[in-house]
Amino acid sequence: MANTTISRRTLLGALAGAGAAALVGCDPTPTPTPAAADPLPDPLLVTLDGGLTVLRGTDRQSIGAGVATADGRLVWTAVPDGADTLLWRVDAGRGNASERVRLPGRWVPQTTSTDGTRLALTTEHLSATGDRPAGRDETLVLIADAAGVRQRLRLPGTVVPEAFTHDLAGLFVLEWLPPAAPDRYRVRLVDLATGIAGPLFTRAKTPVPPGAEEEMRGDGRQAVLAPNRTVLYTLYTHQPDHQHTRDRISGRPGRDVHAFVHTLHLEQRWAYCVDLPHPFGEGGADGHTMAITPDGGRLYVADAGSGAVAEISTEELTVRRVAALAAGGAPAYAAASAERLFLGAGNAVRTVDLAGLAVTAERATADPVGGLVLSADGTRLYLGQRAAVCWQDPVTGGELGRAAVPGLVGLHGPARPA
């Protein structure tokens, strides 16, 4: 959850925005050695082929396999140590690490609480927005903090931890059905005091009746956490035979919806789905992306394959506007400021003015875009490139710097001090 951002992967291919200003960014011309040594002005949390790494100035701090908070402040990492696991937490902004604690058995970090104080681990790597897990009779989950083990859970069936409740008393999980041969899943809430899973609440804050829990099929593309850390938005695509809880309760037949944003309130413990109109979900999952404005009031979803962009009011949980841009390719990436939405894929980045949902600029890039991240103050737009990170002025599109980063896989976000 990250997206959130940890967000999952990416955006538009060759883009031909009529009327857009063609600007050059991350100059395709080979650059001499000094340009490759530009110090990053902001600490940046990235994924390399060896795991999570913090880029700080010209330094590289390798952290390894692990999970980070959505705001990039804290990272949990673990390594095998004989038959056991060593676990510690890194302050990504400052670089200091906690004492290592030993966990009995082999464990893999799965998801962390939004404040970074709790961690859920499983016996193998799982993902709430990744591939379908293999079926099993039960799932072992370990809850830990900087002092070590807090709880051990033995949950029946095939379960993937997704997020902690805001008060840390519960764990939201994806329960895959049927357990032996999963093909669909539902979101459930595990009471960490009892270890028992149950249904969530509706948006009206009433318990979901037995049998009315929505069962989802398809791909969880990307998760984005609200700036206030209380709401998790997850983009899903390709949902055949899916009915929302509200439809099951009312008895209405399911609608022909191929993509929606699953809204999970971590504090009030309810879930609600915002349907996205056609053509969202018709194309590949990796062509879809989303970003939230810094105030958390607007969530933008883009479909690269069709060029559609939707604006969602996070207060009303409704689609306010949909705009049609030129279609492009995949994978797709997005970042948002208060005034602009940045969409990137292939060898191009687009700027969309939020007032009119219209493209105002298109910038060529040296290599295919592999991620977009805005600096915390909004004055620099970072682009993941082939073995490099470059940064631009988000207003003019001018390149401000470039740093060689061998083995770069993707960008997580700014590494803010905890």
Side-chain angles (χ1 to χ4, degrees):
M1 307 223 316
N3 52 192
T4 147
T5 52
I6 174 152
S7 327
R8 247 171 86 186
R9 315 251 201 292
T10 26
L11 177 73
L12 309 166
L15 305 172
L23 304 178
V24 175
C26 300
D27 189 356
T29 303
T31 52
T33 301
D38 289 342
L40 271 76
D42 306 282
L44 197 65
L45 183 62
V46 303
T47 303
L48 303 186
D49 49 20
L52 291 169
T53 296
V54 177
L55 310 180
R56 189 179 292 103
T58 57
D59 296 332
R60 307 289 183 265
Q61 180 186 4
S62 177
I63 298 176
V67 296
T69 53
D71 58 14
R73 296 176 189 270
L74 296 166
V75 180
W76 286 96
T77 187
V79 296
D81 185 51
D84 298 330
T85 302
L86 293 180
L87 174 71
W88 66 98
R89 189 177 64 190
V90 178
D91 182 330
R94 295 186 175 90
N96 56 296
S98 67
E99 294 292 329
R100 300 190 177 197
V101 295
R102 183 177 299 276
L103 307 178
R106 291 288 187 90
W107 299 94
V108 178
Q110 176 64 39
T111 188
T112 180
S113 59
T114 59
D115 65 359
T117 61
R118 293 286 194 282
L119 178 70
L121 305 97
T122 51
T123 55
E124 60 184 283
H125 175 72
L126 302 170
S127 175
T129 54
D131 296 331
R132 181 181 304 173
R136 59 176 63 85
D137 294 330
E138 65 178 11
T139 302
L140 303 180
V141 178
L142 196 70
I143 307 299
D145 62 12
V149 178
R150 292 186 64 91
Q151 286 139 315
R152 301 171 187 269
L153 304 176
R154 190 178 293 272
L155 303 176
T158 304
V159 174
V160 179
E162 182 177 26
F164 284 86
T165 58
H166 192 66
D167 61 5
L168 307 179
L171 181 68
F172 296 102
V173 301
L174 302 184
E175 180 185 30
W176 283 80
L177 302 170
D183 63 4
R184 62 191 186 278
Y185 48 92
R186 60 182 178 179
V187 181
R188 310 212 85 199
L189 178 59
V190 177
D191 183 330
L192 292 180
T194 65
I196 297 175
L200 279 62
F201 290 94
T202 67
R203 194 181 175 193
K205 301 177 185 177
T206 58
V208 175
E213 292 174 86
E214 55 192 319
E215 296 179 357
M216 294 176 278
R217 302 172 189 264
D219 302 312
R221 167 68 178 102
Q222 182 183 2
V224 171
L225 185 68
N228 66 3
R229 304 183 185 181
T230 63
V231 183
L232 182 68
Y233 304 96
T234 304
L235 174 61
Y236 288 94
T237 63
H238 301 301
Q239 304 292 321
D241 305 321
H242 169 71
Q243 279 189 302
H244 297 316
T245 297
R246 58 181 179 269
D247 299 323
R248 287 173 170 263
I249 293 174
S250 67
R252 298 195 306 269
R255 288 163 288 180
D256 186 22
V257 175
H258 294 279
F260 63 85
V261 176
H262 187 268
T263 306
L264 186 61
H265 204 295
L266 306 181
E267 186 175 46
Q268 299 175 6
R269 304 186 176 198
W270 53 257
Y272 186 81
C273 291
V274 181
D275 292 333
L276 294 167
H278 176 83
F280 286 97
E282 297 289 338
D286 65 351
H288 292 70
T289 185
M290 64 179 177
I292 195 166
T293 53
D295 65 357
R298 292 163 292 167
L299 183 69
Y300 291 91
V301 183
D303 170 22
S306 66
V309 175
E311 178 186 87
I312 295 174
S313 165
T314 58
E315 180 178 357
E316 301 166 0
L317 291 183
T318 58
V319 176
R320 281 182 174 172
R321 297 183 291 168
V322 176
L325 310 180
Y333 300 87
S337 67
E339 300 86 18
R340 301 174 183 87
L341 175 68
F342 303 95
L343 303 175
N347 289 67
V349 175
R350 283 175 150 181
T351 300
V352 179
D353 174 64
L354 296 186
L357 279 189
V359 175
T360 58
E362 183 175 340
R363 303 157 190 161
T365 62
D367 299 309
V369 179
L372 290 178
V373 168
L374 269 173
S375 62
D377 62 6
T379 62
R380 288 168 293 278
L381 178 66
Y382 288 93
L383 280 67
Q385 296 278 265
R386 183 177 293 118
V389 172
C390 72
W391 51 103
Q392 303 175 342
D393 183 314
V395 177
T396 68
E399 182 175 326
L400 302 175
R402 165 180 281 266
V405 186
L408 183 70
V409 174
L411 307 184
H412 182 92
R416 301 178 178 93

